[in-house]
Amino acid sequence: MNSRRYLIFVISGLIVAVFAGGISFLNLADAKPVPITTKVTRGHIEETVLASGTLYAIKSVEIGAQVSGQLEHLHVSLGEQVAKGELLAEIDPVLQQNSLKEAEAERENIQAEILAKQALLKQYRLNYERLQQLLPVDGTNRADFESAEGQYQSTLAGCQALQAQLKKAVIAVATAKANLAYTRITAPMAGTVVSIEAEEGQTLVSSQAVSTILTLANLNQMTIKAQISEADVMKVKPGQNVEFTTLGDPEKRYRGTLRAIEPSPVDDSSSSSSAVYYNGLFDIANADHLLRVGMTAEVTIILDQVEQALLAPVGVLRDNGHHFETMVDVFNGERPEPRRVVIGLNDTVNVQIVSGVKEGEALLVHAESLPANNSTDDNSDSMRPPGGPLGPPPGRP
């Protein structure tokens, strides 16, 4: 009897549980979804173009040997700071000294020949002038006079030829002196030794290509070449503000101004990509020399920016948000009210609302318009969607 009562009790409990669950299900089915809203706030917004860049020294020069010979002394080391005119290296000067001596000897020989030729010219000139005076009075025959004239004229021409040879010999001496001076290599500018290509004792052969000994660069100021895509280059122009970070210190942000955009695209024959990029150039001070040649820069070019702008997530817009005029839904607590607004900058997360709404008004968020990995700010009493609340409008770091 007790078992029968227990069974009846269990069956009755199950019936009550199923009935209660059915009522709860019907109530949930009839429940209306709570709209997702966000409030209009004020903050900073900017429209940017992203690019990847490489750091270069604002000025660098490869210093090589203009004469052949053995590198006798190298007076600098890698990374050393040098002043303009400072001695960097010396090449064995023996060959150039001998060339200078030969050139000077040839010059002196021609000078001696000129003296001898001038003495002979004087003798022939006097004989020619004497016969010229005797010819009208029949003091000499015409054959002797013409012979004397020929000797004088040919000797005069010989003197002129020797004068030309002397000029050539003087040039040869000057060239030999210059080549001798080239054995002492000095810094053409102040800078840092960024590479050394030769060692002491190495034989340098100067031919059509100059043998590079070292590279000197001015690292006090760097130039960044940012590769701007073909799709963005039309928006970019000199004078715009630029920011960049390096891979080694992503927290430190450097700022500059875009100086120029190269008119020709980047020549990257090693890449199989058909994308076209143009180099945007800007400079940055580097007094502490933390920035180095070849570093990668993550560049942000600021096209436009507004402080204390009225901001809302792009998800409140009825369309893609790239028109100057569009529609939003203002939520007054009961039902959405369509309203036309004028928008400004759009950073793909937030959009600037120029007119049409006021700060603090709640706007309906269209879930299908939310960008990927974005969520909504729950400044009102409405339900928060999965993923948490929207953060504040992004500002500049």
Side-chain angles (χ1 to χ4, degrees), residues 30 45 58 68 84 107 174 235 239 271 309 345:
D30 293 337
I45 187 172
I58 192 170
S68 300
K84 182 177 181 179
R107 181 192 61 186
K235 309 173 189 175
S271 175
L345 301 186

mmCIF file with all atom_site columns, all heavy atoms in Angstrom, residues 30 45 58 68 84 107 174 235 239 271 309 345:
data_model
loop_
_atom_site.group_PDB
_atom_site.id
_atom_site.type_symbol
_atom_site.label_atom_id
_atom_site.label_alt_id
_atom_site.label_comp_id
_atom_site.label_asym_id
_atom_site.label_entity_id
_atom_site.label_seq_id
_atom_site.pdbx_PDB_ins_code
_atom_site.Cartn_x
_atom_site.Cartn_y
_atom_site.Cartn_z
_atom_site.occupancy
_atom_site.B_iso_or_equiv
_atom_site.pdbx_formal_charge
_atom_site.auth_seq_id
_atom_site.auth_comp_id
_atom_site.auth_asym_id
_atom_site.auth_atom_id
_atom_site.pdbx_PDB_model_num
ATOM 1  N N   . ASP A 1 30  ? 6.729   34.287 -25.858 1.00 0.00 ? 30  ASP A N   1
ATOM 2  C CA  . ASP A 1 30  ? 6.000   35.523 -26.067 1.00 0.00 ? 30  ASP A CA  1
ATOM 3  C C   . ASP A 1 30  ? 6.812   36.763 -25.705 1.00 0.00 ? 30  ASP A C   1
ATOM 4  O O   . ASP A 1 30  ? 6.397   37.888 -26.009 1.00 0.00 ? 30  ASP A O   1
ATOM 5  C CB  . ASP A 1 30  ? 4.705   35.519 -25.245 1.00 0.00 ? 30  ASP A CB  1
ATOM 6  C CG  . ASP A 1 30  ? 3.724   34.456 -25.759 1.00 0.00 ? 30  ASP A CG  1
ATOM 7  O OD1 . ASP A 1 30  ? 3.865   34.086 -26.942 1.00 0.00 ? 30  ASP A OD1 1
ATOM 8  O OD2 . ASP A 1 30  ? 2.873   34.006 -24.979 1.00 0.00 ? 30  ASP A OD2 1
ATOM 9  N N   . ILE A 1 45  ? 38.364  61.697 -32.463 1.00 0.00 ? 45  ILE A N   1
ATOM 10 C CA  . ILE A 1 45  ? 38.278  60.765 -33.581 1.00 0.00 ? 45  ILE A CA  1
ATOM 11 C C   . ILE A 1 45  ? 39.204  61.241 -34.681 1.00 0.00 ? 45  ILE A C   1
ATOM 12 O O   . ILE A 1 45  ? 39.410  62.447 -34.869 1.00 0.00 ? 45  ILE A O   1
ATOM 13 C CB  . ILE A 1 45  ? 36.818  60.648 -34.105 1.00 0.00 ? 45  ILE A CB  1
ATOM 14 C CG1 . ILE A 1 45  ? 36.731  59.530 -35.158 1.00 0.00 ? 45  ILE A CG1 1
ATOM 15 C CG2 . ILE A 1 45  ? 36.319  61.970 -34.658 1.00 0.00 ? 45  ILE A CG2 1
ATOM 16 C CD1 . ILE A 1 45  ? 35.314  59.216 -35.583 1.00 0.00 ? 45  ILE A CD1 1
ATOM 17 N N   . ILE A 1 58  ? 69.269  60.047 -42.921 1.00 0.00 ? 58  ILE A N   1
ATOM 18 C CA  . ILE A 1 58  ? 68.865  61.151 -43.791 1.00 0.00 ? 58  ILE A CA  1
ATOM 19 C C   . ILE A 1 58  ? 69.949  61.443 -44.823 1.00 0.00 ? 58  ILE A C   1
ATOM 20 O O   . ILE A 1 58  ? 69.662  61.895 -45.926 1.00 0.00 ? 58  ILE A O   1
ATOM 21 C CB  . ILE A 1 58  ? 68.542  62.407 -42.957 1.00 0.00 ? 58  ILE A CB  1
ATOM 22 C CG1 . ILE A 1 58  ? 67.848  63.445 -43.837 1.00 0.00 ? 58  ILE A CG1 1
ATOM 23 C CG2 . ILE A 1 58  ? 69.786  62.968 -42.290 1.00 0.00 ? 58  ILE A CG2 1
ATOM 24 C CD1 . ILE A 1 58  ? 67.272  64.610 -43.059 1.00 0.00 ? 58  ILE A CD1 1
ATOM 25 N N   . SER A 1 68  ? 94.773  52.990 -56.354 1.00 0.00 ? 68  SER A N   1
ATOM 26 C CA  . SER A 1 68  ? 95.095  51.606 -56.017 1.00 0.00 ? 68  SER A CA  1
ATOM 27 C C   . SER A 1 68  ? 96.237  51.565 -55.013 1.00 0.00 ? 68  SER A C   1
ATOM 28 O O   . SER A 1 68  ? 97.088  52.458 -54.967 1.00 0.00 ? 68  SER A O   1
ATOM 29 C CB  . SER A 1 68  ? 95.465  50.829 -57.273 1.00 0.00 ? 68  SER A CB  1
ATOM 30 O OG  . SER A 1 68  ? 94.393  50.822 -58.196 1.00 0.00 ? 68  SER A OG  1
ATOM 31 N N   . LYS A 1 84  ? 83.890  66.114 -39.566 1.00 0.00 ? 84  LYS A N   1
ATOM 32 C CA  . LYS A 1 84  ? 84.219  66.405 -40.951 1.00 0.00 ? 84  LYS A CA  1
ATOM 33 C C   . LYS A 1 84  ? 85.707  66.713 -41.064 1.00 0.00 ? 84  LYS A C   1
ATOM 34 O O   . LYS A 1 84  ? 86.264  67.493 -40.290 1.00 0.00 ? 84  LYS A O   1
ATOM 35 C CB  . LYS A 1 84  ? 83.394  67.593 -41.444 1.00 0.00 ? 84  LYS A CB  1
ATOM 36 C CG  . LYS A 1 84  ? 83.638  67.926 -42.903 1.00 0.00 ? 84  LYS A CG  1
ATOM 37 C CD  . LYS A 1 84  ? 82.755  69.061 -43.371 1.00 0.00 ? 84  LYS A CD  1
ATOM 38 C CE  . LYS A 1 84  ? 82.989  69.372 -44.835 1.00 0.00 ? 84  LYS A CE  1
ATOM 39 N NZ  . LYS A 1 84  ? 82.121  70.474 -45.321 1.00 0.00 ? 84  LYS A NZ  1
ATOM 40 N N   . ARG A 1 107 ? 108.129 67.410 -66.279 1.00 0.00 ? 107 ARG A N   1
ATOM 41 C CA  . ARG A 1 107 ? 107.889 68.859 -66.365 1.00 0.00 ? 107 ARG A CA  1
ATOM 42 C C   . ARG A 1 107 ? 109.197 69.625 -66.437 1.00 0.00 ? 107 ARG A C   1
ATOM 43 O O   . ARG A 1 107 ? 109.365 70.543 -67.256 1.00 0.00 ? 107 ARG A O   1
ATOM 44 C CB  . ARG A 1 107 ? 107.076 69.312 -65.158 1.00 0.00 ? 107 ARG A CB  1
ATOM 45 C CG  . ARG A 1 107 ? 106.752 70.802 -65.160 1.00 0.00 ? 107 ARG A CG  1
ATOM 46 C CD  . ARG A 1 107 ? 106.216 71.222 -63.816 1.00 0.00 ? 107 ARG A CD  1
ATOM 47 N NE  . ARG A 1 107 ? 107.196 70.992 -62.760 1.00 0.00 ? 107 ARG A NE  1
ATOM 48 C CZ  . ARG A 1 107 ? 106.946 71.169 -61.458 1.00 0.00 ? 107 ARG A CZ  1
ATOM 49 N NH1 . ARG A 1 107 ? 105.737 71.564 -61.073 1.00 0.00 ? 107 ARG A NH1 1
ATOM 50 N NH2 . ARG A 1 107 ? 107.884 70.939 -60.558 1.00 0.00 ? 107 ARG A NH2 1
ATOM 51 N N   . ALA A 1 174 ? 99.890  68.025 -61.201 1.00 0.00 ? 174 ALA A N   1
ATOM 52 C CA  . ALA A 1 174 ? 98.742  68.285 -60.331 1.00 0.00 ? 174 ALA A CA  1
ATOM 53 C C   . ALA A 1 174 ? 97.944  67.006 -60.097 1.00 0.00 ? 174 ALA A C   1
ATOM 54 O O   . ALA A 1 174 ? 97.473  66.740 -58.971 1.00 0.00 ? 174 ALA A O   1
ATOM 55 C CB  . ALA A 1 174 ? 97.867  69.354 -60.959 1.00 0.00 ? 174 ALA A CB  1
ATOM 56 N N   . LYS A 1 235 ? 44.580  59.965 -51.071 1.00 0.00 ? 235 LYS A N   1
ATOM 57 C CA  . LYS A 1 235 ? 44.104  60.693 -49.892 1.00 0.00 ? 235 LYS A CA  1
ATOM 58 C C   . LYS A 1 235 ? 45.238  61.407 -49.158 1.00 0.00 ? 235 LYS A C   1
ATOM 59 O O   . LYS A 1 235 ? 44.993  62.288 -48.344 1.00 0.00 ? 235 LYS A O   1
ATOM 60 C CB  . LYS A 1 235 ? 43.430  59.728 -48.911 1.00 0.00 ? 235 LYS A CB  1
ATOM 61 C CG  . LYS A 1 235 ? 42.375  58.836 -49.514 1.00 0.00 ? 235 LYS A CG  1
ATOM 62 C CD  . LYS A 1 235 ? 41.909  57.802 -48.482 1.00 0.00 ? 235 LYS A CD  1
ATOM 63 C CE  . LYS A 1 235 ? 41.008  56.755 -49.096 1.00 0.00 ? 235 LYS A CE  1
ATOM 64 N NZ  . LYS A 1 235 ? 40.673  55.700 -48.107 1.00 0.00 ? 235 LYS A NZ  1
ATOM 65 N N   . GLY A 1 239 ? 52.575  67.507 -45.687 1.00 0.00 ? 239 GLY A N   1
ATOM 66 C CA  . GLY A 1 239 ? 52.102  68.394 -44.635 1.00 0.00 ? 239 GLY A CA  1
ATOM 67 C C   . GLY A 1 239 ? 51.220  67.717 -43.611 1.00 0.00 ? 239 GLY A C   1
ATOM 68 O O   . GLY A 1 239 ? 50.976  68.281 -42.532 1.00 0.00 ? 239 GLY A O   1
ATOM 69 N N   . SER A 1 271 ? 59.092  40.667 -55.407 1.00 0.00 ? 271 SER A N   1
ATOM 70 C CA  . SER A 1 271 ? 57.764  40.284 -54.920 1.00 0.00 ? 271 SER A CA  1
ATOM 71 C C   . SER A 1 271 ? 56.881  39.838 -56.077 1.00 0.00 ? 271 SER A C   1
ATOM 72 O O   . SER A 1 271 ? 56.899  40.418 -57.155 1.00 0.00 ? 271 SER A O   1
ATOM 73 C CB  . SER A 1 271 ? 57.116  41.463 -54.178 1.00 0.00 ? 271 SER A CB  1
ATOM 74 O OG  . SER A 1 271 ? 55.798  41.140 -53.803 1.00 0.00 ? 271 SER A OG  1
ATOM 75 N N   . ALA A 1 309 ? 34.383  65.648 -30.478 1.00 0.00 ? 309 ALA A N   1
ATOM 76 C CA  . ALA A 1 309 ? 33.339  65.402 -31.468 1.00 0.00 ? 309 ALA A CA  1
ATOM 77 C C   . ALA A 1 309 ? 32.239  64.549 -30.858 1.00 0.00 ? 309 ALA A C   1
ATOM 78 O O   . ALA A 1 309 ? 32.468  63.768 -29.925 1.00 0.00 ? 309 ALA A O   1
ATOM 79 C CB  . ALA A 1 309 ? 33.935  64.701 -32.682 1.00 0.00 ? 309 ALA A CB  1
ATOM 80 N N   . LEU A 1 345 ? 33.828  62.236 -39.793 1.00 0.00 ? 345 LEU A N   1
ATOM 81 C CA  . LEU A 1 345 ? 34.888  61.233 -39.857 1.00 0.00 ? 345 LEU A CA  1
ATOM 82 C C   . LEU A 1 345 ? 34.359  59.872 -39.430 1.00 0.00 ? 345 LEU A C   1
ATOM 83 O O   . LEU A 1 345 ? 33.457  59.761 -38.597 1.00 0.00 ? 345 LEU A O   1
ATOM 84 C CB  . LEU A 1 345 ? 36.061  61.644 -38.961 1.00 0.00 ? 345 LEU A CB  1
ATOM 85 C CG  . LEU A 1 345 ? 36.712  62.980 -39.270 1.00 0.00 ? 345 LEU A CG  1
ATOM 86 C CD1 . LEU A 1 345 ? 37.941  63.176 -38.404 1.00 0.00 ? 345 LEU A CD1 1
ATOM 87 C CD2 . LEU A 1 345 ? 37.086  63.082 -40.744 1.00 0.00 ? 345 LEU A CD2 1
#
